[in-house]
Amino acid sequence: MSQWQGLDEFVAIATAGSFSGGAKLLGTSTTRISRVIVQLEARLQAQLFDRTTRSVKLTDTGRAILDQCRRILAERDDILASVTAQGEPRGELRVTCSTTMGERYVAPLLRRFAMQHPDLSVDLDLTNRVVDLVGEGYDLAIRTGQMPDSGLIRTRVGSRALLTCAAPAYVAASPPLEHVEQLKNHACLLGSASNWHFKDAQGQALEFKPSGRWRCNNGNGVLEAAIAGMGVCQLPEFYVLPALRSGELVEVLEAFRPAEEPIWAVYPQRRHLLPKVRGAVSLLKRDLAAAIARP
């Protein structure tokens, strides 16, 4: 009997949260999947699940090996996918992206990609945490700004502008704001960035450290404070464009608007030949910029 037998069943049960759910994921019977897990536990000489009539929970051993088993199965599927004659995307594609960009733009594109390829499953993790792609078993990350030399492959798939904005009523009632240094006389609405970015009259990059009495690590929270007239914000364009079009916000310091930031698709070296990664990167490169620019 193969020493690997049972890993698919183990991961399926852990994912579904039940033996019946795991059997449904694999298209098999609950009786068969239960028998395979018993055999796997016997070979390991360790229990993987605590079973009661009401619930199935991972044991400490099960939790300890779950992520490793997922990576083993993903790498197996990657090897098989890379040598298929058709080169069709298949297996599991694990992607991480910042929350708002992911919700608005990346999720719809990857959903379409999954619908076009029935042998592909997508696991999209929306988080503002910088994920360790290799250590945590991800295939692809969507990131913005300047990238450190990390040994990962990167492909530029778009750009985003940073716009500095405020409500018209705030601008009318506040001191002049014609130069970046005048921001020190204004209430700045702080997000997750410690510095705001601009360019000077010669086109050189310029930074300003904002201060104020409102801070929120969510862009929508900053946006709503700006619309309410609490101060000046600097946010990616996709947050503020609707409010600019409606007149709820106006752009300030437009002459000092910084150069657009690149948006990158980032992936480990060993992933770049896989059809699922190539296909996803190609789709993002073709359609992401247009989606962000769309009203």
Side-chain angles (χ1 to χ4, degrees):
M1 180 180 296
S2 169
Q3 294 301 304
W4 298 103
Q5 187 175 356
L7 295 193
D8 288 281
E9 289 79 2
F10 166 62
V11 170
I13 294 166
T15 300
S18 68
F19 276 69
S20 59
K24 187 175 181 180
L25 285 176
L26 295 178
T28 189
S29 68
T30 305
T31 301
R32 181 192 172 279
I33 205 172
S34 299
R35 184 175 64 251
V36 171
I37 290 299
V38 168
Q39 292 168 346
L40 177 61
E41 289 176 327
R43 292 199 307 278
L44 295 175
Q45 297 185 351
Q47 189 173 340
L48 300 176
F49 296 103
D50 285 324
R51 310 155 172 87
T52 70
T53 56
R54 292 175 176 264
S55 67
V56 174
K57 295 182 179 179
L58 286 164
T59 63
D60 289 343
T61 300
R63 282 191 294 272
I65 68 171
L66 177 59
D67 286 343
Q68 291 172 290
C69 289
R70 281 183 167 143
R71 283 197 291 272
I72 288 168
L73 295 180
E75 290 179 6
R76 177 201 64 188
D77 293 342
D78 289 345
I79 291 169
L80 295 176
S82 67
V83 297
T84 55
Q86 299 84 3
E88 280 294 306
R90 64 182 68 230
E92 184 182 49
L93 176 68
R94 298 192 70 208
V95 184
T96 177
C97 181
S98 60
T99 303
T100 301
M101 183 181 292
E103 287 176 348
R104 296 189 186 184
Y105 307 110
V106 175
L109 292 176
L110 290 183
R111 184 170 64 244
R112 191 174 82 208
F113 186 54
M115 293 175 69
Q116 291 170 345
H117 301 286
D119 292 329
L120 178 75
S121 63
V122 175
D123 180 354
L124 176 59
D125 180 19
L126 300 182
T127 176
N128 293 327
R129 178 176 67 90
V130 178
V131 170
D132 177 357
L133 295 189
V134 176
E136 298 182 49
Y138 283 85
D139 298 296
L140 182 65
I142 313 304
R143 293 177 177 165
T144 57
Q146 299 306 310
M147 292 289 301
D149 184 6
S150 61
L152 300 170
I153 298 176
R154 62 184 179 185
T155 299
R156 187 165 182 164
V157 294
S159 302
R160 72 171 188 180
L162 287 172
L163 304 184
T164 309
C165 304
Y170 174 87
V171 173
S174 299
L177 187 50
E178 299 172 352
H179 301 283
V180 173
E181 58 268 21
Q182 291 175 326
L183 280 169
K184 65 179 182 293
N185 302 320
H186 287 262
C188 294
L189 307 173
L190 311 178
S192 56
S194 57
N195 292 316
W196 287 2
H197 299 276
F198 300 94
K199 64 179 180 182
D200 61 21
Q202 289 72 45
Q204 299 299 309
L206 180 66
E207 289 190 350
F208 176 81
K209 189 172 184 62
S211 62
R213 63 189 185 92
W214 177 262
R215 178 184 293 276
C216 181
N217 66 351
N218 177 275
N220 287 318
V222 176
L223 171 65
E224 290 166 3
I227 291 173
M230 289 185 67
V232 183
C233 70
Q234 185 177 85
L235 288 168
E237 62 183 329
F238 53 77
Y239 281 104
V240 299
L241 280 179
L244 288 171
R245 294 189 178 107
S246 69
E248 294 174 291
L249 293 178
V250 294
E251 187 175 1
V252 297
L253 299 174
E254 187 172 357
F256 301 91
R257 184 194 293 184
E260 291 190 349
E261 292 186 330
I263 302 173
W264 305 99
V266 183
Y267 39 98
Q269 181 84 27
R270 62 186 179 85
R271 300 287 195 197
H272 78 286
L273 292 177
L274 296 173
K276 64 181 182 180
V277 175
R278 290 203 317 268
V281 171
S282 178
L283 174 68
L284 292 166
K285 193 172 183 179
R286 186 179 68 240
D287 294 345
L288 180 61
I292 291 174
R294 193 175 301 134

